[in-house]
mmCIF file of all heavy atoms in Angstrom:
data_model
loop_
_atom_site.group_PDB
_atom_site.id
_atom_site.type_symbol
_atom_site.label_atom_id
_atom_site.label_comp_id
_atom_site.label_asym_id
_atom_site.label_seq_id
_atom_site.Cartn_x
_atom_site.Cartn_y
_atom_site.Cartn_z
ATOM 1 N N TYR A 1 -20.066 -10.315 4.291
ATOM 2 C CA TYR A 1 -18.845 -9.981 5.020
ATOM 3 C C TYR A 1 -17.806 -9.374 4.075
ATOM 4 O O TYR A 1 -17.163 -8.376 4.405
ATOM 5 C CB TYR A 1 -18.297 -11.237 5.684
ATOM 6 C CG TYR A 1 -16.901 -11.080 6.227
ATOM 7 C CD1 TYR A 1 -16.667 -10.344 7.388
ATOM 8 C CD2 TYR A 1 -15.812 -11.653 5.575
ATOM 9 C CE1 TYR A 1 -15.379 -10.186 7.884
ATOM 10 C CE2 TYR A 1 -14.521 -11.505 6.065
ATOM 11 C CZ TYR A 1 -14.319 -10.772 7.219
ATOM 12 O OH TYR A 1 -13.047 -10.617 7.706
ATOM 13 N N CYS A 2 -17.645 -9.958 2.906
ATOM 14 C CA CYS A 2 -16.668 -9.439 1.948
ATOM 15 C C CYS A 2 -17.037 -8.030 1.496
ATOM 16 O O CYS A 2 -16.159 -7.169 1.345
ATOM 17 C CB CYS A 2 -16.561 -10.378 0.757
ATOM 18 S SG CYS A 2 -15.871 -11.991 1.168
ATOM 19 N N ALA A 3 -18.318 -7.790 1.306
ATOM 20 C CA ALA A 3 -18.760 -6.443 0.931
ATOM 21 C C ALA A 3 -18.402 -5.441 2.023
ATOM 22 O O ALA A 3 -17.946 -4.321 1.744
ATOM 23 C CB ALA A 3 -20.264 -6.438 0.672
ATOM 24 N N ALA A 4 -18.607 -5.839 3.279
ATOM 25 C CA ALA A 4 -18.278 -4.950 4.388
ATOM 26 C C ALA A 4 -16.777 -4.692 4.469
ATOM 27 O O ALA A 4 -16.337 -3.555 4.699
ATOM 28 C CB ALA A 4 -18.787 -5.553 5.699
ATOM 29 N N ARG A 5 -15.969 -5.744 4.265
ATOM 30 C CA ARG A 5 -14.512 -5.579 4.290
ATOM 31 C C ARG A 5 -14.051 -4.608 3.204
ATOM 32 O O ARG A 5 -13.178 -3.769 3.428
ATOM 33 C CB ARG A 5 -13.828 -6.937 4.088
ATOM 34 C CG ARG A 5 -13.809 -7.835 5.304
ATOM 35 C CD ARG A 5 -12.717 -7.443 6.312
ATOM 36 N NE ARG A 5 -11.381 -7.387 5.732
ATOM 37 C CZ ARG A 5 -10.563 -8.427 5.596
ATOM 38 N NH1 ARG A 5 -10.954 -9.640 5.989
ATOM 39 N NH2 ARG A 5 -9.349 -8.268 5.097
ATOM 40 N N ILE A 6 -14.633 -4.730 2.020
ATOM 41 C CA ILE A 6 -14.254 -3.836 0.922
ATOM 42 C C ILE A 6 -14.672 -2.410 1.236
ATOM 43 O O ILE A 6 -13.933 -1.455 0.964
ATOM 44 C CB ILE A 6 -14.861 -4.334 -0.406
ATOM 45 C CG1 ILE A 6 -14.211 -5.666 -0.808
ATOM 46 C CG2 ILE A 6 -14.678 -3.290 -1.512
ATOM 47 C CD1 ILE A 6 -14.903 -6.377 -1.951
ATOM 48 N N SER A 7 -15.835 -2.234 1.835
ATOM 49 C CA SER A 7 -16.289 -0.896 2.208
ATOM 50 C C SER A 7 -15.320 -0.234 3.184
ATOM 51 O O SER A 7 -14.957 0.940 3.031
ATOM 52 C CB SER A 7 -17.687 -0.956 2.844
ATOM 53 O OG SER A 7 -18.640 -1.433 1.924
ATOM 54 N N VAL A 8 -14.882 -0.990 4.170
ATOM 55 C CA VAL A 8 -13.919 -0.455 5.142
ATOM 56 C C VAL A 8 -12.590 -0.159 4.452
ATOM 57 O O VAL A 8 -11.953 0.878 4.706
ATOM 58 C CB VAL A 8 -13.734 -1.439 6.311
ATOM 59 C CG1 VAL A 8 -12.589 -0.996 7.220
ATOM 60 C CG2 VAL A 8 -15.027 -1.552 7.110
ATOM 61 N N PHE A 9 -12.168 -1.046 3.560
ATOM 62 C CA PHE A 9 -10.911 -0.831 2.847
ATOM 63 C C PHE A 9 -10.928 0.468 2.045
ATOM 64 O O PHE A 9 -9.944 1.221 2.040
ATOM 65 C CB PHE A 9 -10.631 -2.009 1.915
ATOM 66 C CG PHE A 9 -9.459 -1.774 1.003
ATOM 67 C CD1 PHE A 9 -8.163 -1.942 1.463
ATOM 68 C CD2 PHE A 9 -9.651 -1.340 -0.307
ATOM 69 C CE1 PHE A 9 -7.079 -1.701 0.642
ATOM 70 C CE2 PHE A 9 -8.569 -1.095 -1.146
ATOM 71 C CZ PHE A 9 -7.284 -1.269 -0.672
ATOM 72 N N VAL A 10 -12.037 0.748 1.357
ATOM 73 C CA VAL A 10 -12.140 1.968 0.547
ATOM 74 C C VAL A 10 -11.982 3.206 1.427
ATOM 75 O O VAL A 10 -11.283 4.163 1.080
ATOM 76 C CB VAL A 10 -13.471 1.987 -0.225
ATOM 77 C CG1 VAL A 10 -13.746 3.366 -0.836
ATOM 78 C CG2 VAL A 10 -13.468 0.928 -1.318
ATOM 79 N N ARG A 11 -12.608 3.187 2.581
ATOM 80 C CA ARG A 11 -12.492 4.308 3.521
ATOM 81 C C ARG A 11 -11.049 4.471 3.999
ATOM 82 O O ARG A 11 -10.499 5.583 4.015
ATOM 83 C CB ARG A 11 -13.421 4.059 4.707
ATOM 84 C CG ARG A 11 -13.341 5.052 5.833
ATOM 85 C CD ARG A 11 -14.170 6.260 5.572
ATOM 86 N NE ARG A 11 -14.280 7.104 6.752
ATOM 87 C CZ ARG A 11 -15.253 7.984 6.940
ATOM 88 N NH1 ARG A 11 -16.189 8.128 6.040
ATOM 89 N NH2 ARG A 11 -15.274 8.725 8.017
ATOM 90 N N GLU A 12 -10.433 3.366 4.391
ATOM 91 C CA GLU A 12 -9.067 3.433 4.907
ATOM 92 C C GLU A 12 -8.078 3.817 3.804
ATOM 93 O O GLU A 12 -7.098 4.530 4.058
ATOM 94 C CB GLU A 12 -8.691 2.090 5.512
ATOM 95 C CG GLU A 12 -9.465 1.787 6.802
ATOM 96 C CD GLU A 12 -9.159 0.416 7.367
ATOM 97 O OE1 GLU A 12 -8.574 -0.422 6.622
ATOM 98 O OE2 GLU A 12 -9.506 0.161 8.535
ATOM 99 N N LEU A 13 -8.322 3.376 2.581
ATOM 100 C CA LEU A 13 -7.472 3.732 1.457
ATOM 101 C C LEU A 13 -7.452 5.240 1.243
ATOM 102 O O LEU A 13 -6.383 5.857 1.092
ATOM 103 C CB LEU A 13 -7.966 3.029 0.193
ATOM 104 C CG LEU A 13 -7.329 3.450 -1.134
ATOM 105 C CD1 LEU A 13 -5.863 3.028 -1.169
ATOM 106 C CD2 LEU A 13 -8.093 2.850 -2.310
ATOM 107 N N ALA A 14 -8.623 5.850 1.251
ATOM 108 C CA ALA A 14 -8.711 7.296 1.043
ATOM 109 C C ALA A 14 -8.007 8.052 2.168
ATOM 110 O O ALA A 14 -7.286 9.026 1.917
ATOM 111 C CB ALA A 14 -10.174 7.725 0.934
ATOM 112 N N ARG A 15 -8.190 7.617 3.395
ATOM 113 C CA ARG A 15 -7.529 8.281 4.528
ATOM 114 C C ARG A 15 -6.012 8.136 4.449
ATOM 115 O O ARG A 15 -5.262 9.075 4.719
ATOM 116 C CB ARG A 15 -8.040 7.690 5.840
ATOM 117 C CG ARG A 15 -9.416 8.198 6.246
ATOM 118 C CD ARG A 15 -9.842 7.580 7.555
ATOM 119 N NE ARG A 15 -10.974 8.287 8.139
ATOM 120 C CZ ARG A 15 -11.666 7.840 9.163
ATOM 121 N NH1 ARG A 15 -11.347 6.689 9.727
ATOM 122 N NH2 ARG A 15 -12.674 8.536 9.656
ATOM 123 N N ARG A 16 -5.549 6.959 4.071
ATOM 124 C CA ARG A 16 -4.112 6.709 4.004
ATOM 125 C C ARG A 16 -3.460 7.515 2.881
ATOM 126 O O ARG A 16 -2.372 8.075 3.062
ATOM 127 C CB ARG A 16 -3.866 5.212 3.822
ATOM 128 C CG ARG A 16 -2.418 4.841 3.561
ATOM 129 C CD ARG A 16 -2.185 3.353 3.751
ATOM 130 N NE ARG A 16 -3.209 2.534 3.143
ATOM 131 C CZ ARG A 16 -3.257 2.208 1.841
ATOM 132 N NH1 ARG A 16 -2.329 2.661 1.021
ATOM 133 N NH2 ARG A 16 -4.214 1.429 1.374
ATOM 134 N N MET A 17 -4.101 7.587 1.722
ATOM 135 C CA MET A 17 -3.531 8.328 0.603
ATOM 136 C C MET A 17 -3.564 9.828 0.850
ATOM 137 O O MET A 17 -2.675 10.560 0.438
ATOM 138 C CB MET A 17 -4.275 7.992 -0.685
ATOM 139 C CG MET A 17 -4.036 6.573 -1.172
ATOM 140 S SD MET A 17 -4.811 6.240 -2.784
ATOM 141 C CE MET A 17 -3.823 7.291 -3.872
ATOM 142 N N GLY A 18 -4.618 10.314 1.523
ATOM 143 C CA GLY A 18 -4.722 11.731 1.843
ATOM 144 C C GLY A 18 -4.861 12.593 0.598
ATOM 145 O O GLY A 18 -5.304 12.139 -0.457
ATOM 146 N N GLY A 19 -4.456 13.862 0.716
ATOM 147 C CA GLY A 19 -4.577 14.786 -0.400
ATOM 148 C C GLY A 19 -6.019 14.918 -0.845
ATOM 149 O O GLY A 19 -6.923 15.070 -0.014
ATOM 150 N N SER A 20 -6.236 14.842 -2.157
ATOM 151 C CA SER A 20 -7.596 14.977 -2.679
ATOM 152 C C SER A 20 -8.304 13.639 -2.835
ATOM 153 O O SER A 20 -9.444 13.594 -3.315
ATOM 154 C CB SER A 20 -7.567 15.693 -4.038
ATOM 155 O OG SER A 20 -6.970 14.873 -5.025
ATOM 156 N N GLN A 21 -7.649 12.554 -2.442
ATOM 157 C CA GLN A 21 -8.247 11.232 -2.641
ATOM 158 C C GLN A 21 -9.485 11.059 -1.767
ATOM 159 O O GLN A 21 -9.456 11.305 -0.557
ATOM 160 C CB GLN A 21 -7.246 10.123 -2.308
ATOM 161 C CG GLN A 21 -7.786 8.709 -2.520
ATOM 162 C CD GLN A 21 -8.077 8.411 -3.963
ATOM 163 O OE1 GLN A 21 -7.235 8.628 -4.825
ATOM 164 N NE2 GLN A 21 -9.286 7.931 -4.258
ATOM 165 N N VAL A 22 -10.574 10.621 -2.384
ATOM 166 C CA VAL A 22 -11.790 10.265 -1.650
ATOM 167 C C VAL A 22 -12.288 8.926 -2.176
ATOM 168 O O VAL A 22 -11.965 8.505 -3.293
ATOM 169 C CB VAL A 22 -12.907 11.328 -1.773
ATOM 170 C CG1 VAL A 22 -12.508 12.614 -1.078
ATOM 171 C CG2 VAL A 22 -13.256 11.603 -3.236
ATOM 172 N N GLY A 23 -13.081 8.236 -1.359
ATOM 173 C CA GLY A 23 -13.626 6.943 -1.752
ATOM 174 C C GLY A 23 -14.962 6.705 -1.085
ATOM 175 O O GLY A 23 -15.147 7.038 0.088
ATOM 176 N N THR A 24 -15.882 6.108 -1.830
ATOM 177 C CA THR A 24 -17.244 5.909 -1.331
ATOM 178 C C THR A 24 -17.797 4.583 -1.832
ATOM 179 O O THR A 24 -17.664 4.254 -3.015
ATOM 180 C CB THR A 24 -18.187 7.027 -1.831
ATOM 181 O OG1 THR A 24 -17.651 8.295 -1.455
ATOM 182 C CG2 THR A 24 -19.585 6.869 -1.258
ATOM 183 N N VAL A 25 -18.411 3.822 -0.941
ATOM 184 C CA VAL A 25 -19.264 2.705 -1.333
ATOM 185 C C VAL A 25 -20.698 3.194 -1.184
ATOM 186 O O VAL A 25 -21.197 3.369 -0.074
ATOM 187 C CB VAL A 25 -18.987 1.453 -0.481
ATOM 188 C CG1 VAL A 25 -20.018 0.366 -0.775
ATOM 189 C CG2 VAL A 25 -17.578 0.940 -0.746
ATOM 190 N N GLY A 26 -21.329 3.449 -2.327
ATOM 191 C CA GLY A 26 -22.641 4.100 -2.294
ATOM 192 C C GLY A 26 -23.819 3.159 -2.363
ATOM 193 O O GLY A 26 -24.922 3.496 -1.938
ATOM 194 N N VAL A 27 -23.620 1.965 -2.917
ATOM 195 C CA VAL A 27 -24.702 0.990 -3.061
ATOM 196 C C VAL A 27 -24.243 -0.335 -2.460
ATOM 197 O O VAL A 27 -23.133 -0.795 -2.735
ATOM 198 C CB VAL A 27 -25.079 0.770 -4.552
ATOM 199 C CG1 VAL A 27 -26.084 -0.384 -4.692
ATOM 200 C CG2 VAL A 27 -25.643 2.042 -5.165
ATOM 201 N N THR A 28 -25.101 -0.938 -1.636
ATOM 202 C CA THR A 28 -24.864 -2.294 -1.137
ATOM 203 C C THR A 28 -26.181 -3.062 -1.198
ATOM 204 O O THR A 28 -27.178 -2.624 -0.613
ATOM 205 C CB THR A 28 -24.346 -2.303 0.314
ATOM 206 O OG1 THR A 28 -23.132 -1.556 0.388
ATOM 207 C CG2 THR A 28 -24.080 -3.723 0.788
ATOM 208 N N ARG A 29 -26.186 -4.160 -1.938
ATOM 209 C CA ARG A 29 -27.388 -5.000 -2.033
ATOM 210 C C ARG A 29 -26.999 -6.438 -1.736
ATOM 211 O O ARG A 29 -26.076 -6.973 -2.352
ATOM 212 C CB ARG A 29 -28.012 -4.907 -3.429
ATOM 213 C CG ARG A 29 -28.516 -3.519 -3.797
ATOM 214 C CD ARG A 29 -29.382 -3.585 -5.055
ATOM 215 N NE ARG A 29 -29.869 -2.260 -5.426
ATOM 216 C CZ ARG A 29 -29.365 -1.520 -6.396
ATOM 217 N NH1 ARG A 29 -28.350 -1.977 -7.114
ATOM 218 N NH2 ARG A 29 -29.862 -0.352 -6.689
ATOM 219 N N LEU A 30 -27.714 -7.054 -0.798
ATOM 220 C CA LEU A 30 -27.436 -8.440 -0.412
ATOM 221 C C LEU A 30 -28.568 -9.349 -0.864
ATOM 222 O O LEU A 30 -29.740 -8.956 -0.878
ATOM 223 C CB LEU A 30 -27.279 -8.545 1.105
ATOM 224 C CG LEU A 30 -26.179 -7.683 1.759
ATOM 225 C CD1 LEU A 30 -26.148 -7.949 3.250
ATOM 226 C CD2 LEU A 30 -24.825 -7.945 1.128
ATOM 227 N N VAL A 31 -28.198 -10.574 -1.218
ATOM 228 C CA VAL A 31 -29.170 -11.614 -1.584
ATOM 229 C C VAL A 31 -28.843 -12.842 -0.736
ATOM 230 O O VAL A 31 -27.688 -13.280 -0.707
ATOM 231 C CB VAL A 31 -29.064 -11.967 -3.086
ATOM 232 C CG1 VAL A 31 -30.048 -13.099 -3.435
ATOM 233 C CG2 VAL A 31 -29.357 -10.743 -3.952
ATOM 234 N N PRO A 32 -29.816 -13.397 0.009
ATOM 235 C CA PRO A 32 -31.247 -13.084 -0.002
ATOM 236 C C PRO A 32 -31.677 -11.941 0.920
ATOM 237 O O PRO A 32 -32.869 -11.661 1.025
ATOM 238 C CB PRO A 32 -31.882 -14.396 0.447
ATOM 239 C CG PRO A 32 -30.871 -15.004 1.364
ATOM 240 C CD PRO A 32 -29.543 -14.628 0.787
ATOM 241 N N ASN A 33 -30.759 -11.291 1.612
ATOM 242 C CA ASN A 33 -31.098 -10.131 2.443
ATOM 243 C C ASN A 33 -32.056 -10.499 3.586
ATOM 244 O O ASN A 33 -33.055 -9.824 3.818
ATOM 245 C CB ASN A 33 -31.705 -9.015 1.570
ATOM 246 C CG ASN A 33 -31.554 -7.640 2.212
ATOM 247 O OD1 ASN A 33 -30.531 -7.343 2.822
ATOM 248 N ND2 ASN A 33 -32.557 -6.798 2.055
ATOM 249 N N LEU A 34 -31.721 -11.564 4.292
ATOM 250 C CA LEU A 34 -32.537 -12.052 5.402
ATOM 251 C C LEU A 34 -31.702 -12.072 6.677
ATOM 252 O O LEU A 34 -30.489 -12.328 6.646
ATOM 253 C CB LEU A 34 -33.055 -13.458 5.106
ATOM 254 C CG LEU A 34 -33.982 -13.581 3.888
ATOM 255 C CD1 LEU A 34 -34.279 -15.044 3.595
ATOM 256 C CD2 LEU A 34 -35.275 -12.795 4.106
ATOM 257 N N VAL A 35 -32.344 -11.857 7.813
ATOM 258 C CA VAL A 35 -31.616 -11.689 9.066
ATOM 259 C C VAL A 35 -30.882 -12.952 9.487
ATOM 260 O O VAL A 35 -29.825 -12.891 10.131
ATOM 261 C CB VAL A 35 -32.591 -11.210 10.179
ATOM 262 C CG1 VAL A 35 -33.612 -12.273 10.519
ATOM 263 C CG2 VAL A 35 -31.825 -10.766 11.410
ATOM 264 N N ASN A 36 -31.400 -14.125 9.119
ATOM 265 C CA ASN A 36 -30.808 -15.383 9.613
ATOM 266 C C ASN A 36 -30.209 -16.242 8.502
ATOM 267 O O ASN A 36 -30.104 -17.454 8.644
ATOM 268 C CB ASN A 36 -31.855 -16.182 10.391
ATOM 269 C CG ASN A 36 -33.063 -16.548 9.534
ATOM 270 O OD1 ASN A 36 -33.237 -16.003 8.431
ATOM 271 N ND2 ASN A 36 -33.889 -17.454 10.041
ATOM 272 N N VAL A 37 -29.837 -15.589 7.382
ATOM 273 C CA VAL A 37 -29.241 -16.326 6.262
ATOM 274 C C VAL A 37 -27.957 -15.625 5.826
ATOM 275 O O VAL A 37 -27.933 -14.409 5.618
ATOM 276 C CB VAL A 37 -30.220 -16.416 5.066
ATOM 277 C CG1 VAL A 37 -29.555 -17.183 3.907
ATOM 278 C CG2 VAL A 37 -31.513 -17.094 5.480
ATOM 279 N N ILE A 38 -26.888 -16.391 5.688
ATOM 280 C CA ILE A 38 -25.635 -15.854 5.153
ATOM 281 C C ILE A 38 -25.864 -15.457 3.694
ATOM 282 O O ILE A 38 -26.404 -16.246 2.905
ATOM 283 C CB ILE A 38 -24.517 -16.916 5.252
ATOM 284 C CG1 ILE A 38 -24.270 -17.296 6.716
ATOM 285 C CG2 ILE A 38 -23.239 -16.429 4.586
ATOM 286 C CD1 ILE A 38 -23.483 -18.580 6.877
#
């Protein structure tokens, strides 16, 4: 969840700053990466 929140924040930050500012979350890896485990 925190990773997702940060990803959204980076996108919104770039839009809010405007100009030449860009932001990207390019890699996301979760452990244990299972459908029914936090």
Side-chain angles (χ1 to χ4, degrees):
Y1 168 74
C2 294
R5 283 281 305 275
I6 293 169
S7 297
V8 172
F9 172 80
V10 168
R11 175 83 170 202
E12 291 177 345
L13 171 67
R15 282 181 165 169
R16 173 165 45 81
M17 291 185 68
S20 69
Q21 181 65 51
V22 293
T24 304
V25 172
V27 173
T28 301
R29 297 192 180 102
L30 302 182
V31 178
N33 203 38
L34 297 173
V35 67
N36 60 347
V37 179
I38 299 164

